[in-house]
Amino acid sequence: MTSAQRPSSTGRARLADVAALAGVSVGTASKALNGGGRMRPETRRRVLDAVDSLGFRPNQHAQSLHTGRSWTVGLMTTDGIGRFSTPVLLGAEDALGAGKISVLLCDTRGDSIREQHHLRNLMDRRVDGIIVTGRRTDPRPPLTGVDPIPIVYALSPSTGQADTSVVTDDRGGARLAVEHLLAAGRTRIAHVTGPEHHAAARDRARYAAEHLERSSLRLAGGRVHFGEWSEAWGRRAADAVLRTAPDTDAFFCGNDQIARGVADALRERGVDVPGDIAVVGYDNWDTMALACRPPLTTIDMNLTEIGRIAALRLLEAIDAEADAEADTGGGDGDAETGAGRGGVHTVPCRLVVRESS
């Protein structure tokens, strides 16, 4: 490292040090760190590598005054328990942390008044954008009374067609579960799931039936067993299924709690799992899947990846907005922007095979 590339005598690296090490001007280094400006990806990469090499920490207050950005993002959730929002938050933080952006978590508890209260606070803090998530896959109305800042909906999609939403692929998840059971030689598959008014229950049931029909098969017992998202319902449903369809050789369940209840009921009946009847759940909730006896094969919704992609979409939209404000000349617009990425983006599920199948 040359004398021009060494940190200042104070021991703290300066922006000029980063620029020198990356071989760019101070202005270019600033634009690379701010996420703005039009430059080659390799140039931005050199600047970020220099930041890591020197341990450079930008002055956030100075950056805020210069760029008009607060370097904070709001994450609004209706999931007070955190079962679904926590993995989404972790994925979002991974992506946002790489850009040195802080996350403000707001729990609305599904209350519209509390949501508006948190929204006003986020606006007062001048956040650069908001990620909205929840505990269900049901579509939700867009946020109202929001200043014109980027918003991305994660897991719970917005009903606004122009909004950006990142959701799980329940069609693909149901296909993975059914194909796994069919490959294991199971042909009399029952489906036990949650309340019919929940989108997740309806969608997974519909897709499971569709995939079976493609193999000229029907659900064991001829129908979906809708009920509750609970182990108790899984135990009751297993008994009901086996009374009406005693030749059932597999259960595909709408979530892991139900699947664990089914496995308990089968064990109490002396049924060998998976020898006589296989069981597959949904969610890959470790608390349930690993405590199940035997450990549960299940579908992972990739919640962390949903959060990560939602954050990346939000960053794209924030950068696009900054570029649009800076581009007073109305240039060619050759850079890809988040503004054109509205609509629903689907994240694939994955099958996690354990001893229950």
Side-chain angles (χ1 to χ4, degrees), residues 114-132:
R114 187 180 292 268
E115 179 175 279
Q116 287 299 312
H117 168 73
H118 284 308
L119 195 53
R120 285 192 297 271
N121 284 340
L122 292 176
M123 293 298 100
D124 289 343
R125 290 173 178 265
R126 302 182 63 81
V127 294
D128 297 321
I130 299 175
I131 296 174
V132 183

Side-chain angles (χ1 to χ4, degrees), residues 77 201 233 310:
T77 178
W233 164 239

Side-chain angles (χ1 to χ4, degrees), residues 51-84:
V51 167
D52 290 339
S53 176
L54 296 172
F56 174 71
R57 295 182 62 186
N59 185 321
Q60 297 291 344
H61 178 65
Q63 282 189 309
S64 297
L65 292 176
H66 177 67
T67 64
R69 289 175 60 171
S70 66
W71 301 95
T72 56
V73 162
L75 193 146
M76 189 174 291
T77 178
T78 62
D79 181 18
I81 298 174
R83 163 67 191 94
F84 295 101

Side-chain angles (χ1 to χ4, degrees), residues 107-179:
D107 176 18
T108 70
R109 304 179 193 176
D111 182 87
S112 59
I113 296 176
R114 187 180 292 268
E115 179 175 279
Q116 287 299 312
H117 168 73
H118 284 308
L119 195 53
R120 285 192 297 271
N121 284 340
L122 292 176
M123 293 298 100
D124 289 343
R125 290 173 178 265
R126 302 182 63 81
V127 294
D128 297 321
I130 299 175
I131 296 174
V132 183
T133 187
R135 62 179 178 269
R136 290 165 58 173
T137 62
D138 297 76
R140 56 149 295 152
L143 293 180
T144 58
V146 187
D147 291 345
I149 63 170
I151 299 173
V152 174
Y153 298 82
L155 188 64
S156 305
S158 169
T159 55
Q161 293 184 356
D163 292 334
T164 299
S165 300
V166 182
V167 301
T168 186
D169 180 14
D170 273 337
R171 180 189 294 275
R175 176 181 56 78
L176 288 172
V178 171
E179 286 183 351

Side-chain angles (χ1 to χ4, degrees), residues 26 79 86 99 110 117 120 146 206 221 227 229 232 239 246 264 299 307 328 337 344:
V26 173
D79 181 18
T86 297
H117 168 73
R120 285 192 297 271
V146 187
R206 182 172 75 255
W229 300 116
D239 290 336
D264 285 348
I299 301 298
T328 56
T337 70
V344 178

Side-chain angles (χ1 to χ4, degrees), residues 42-54:
E42 55 266 31
T43 302
R44 195 184 301 272
R45 183 72 265 162
R46 287 206 314 274
V47 173
L48 295 178
D49 287 344
V51 167
D52 290 339
S53 176
L54 296 172

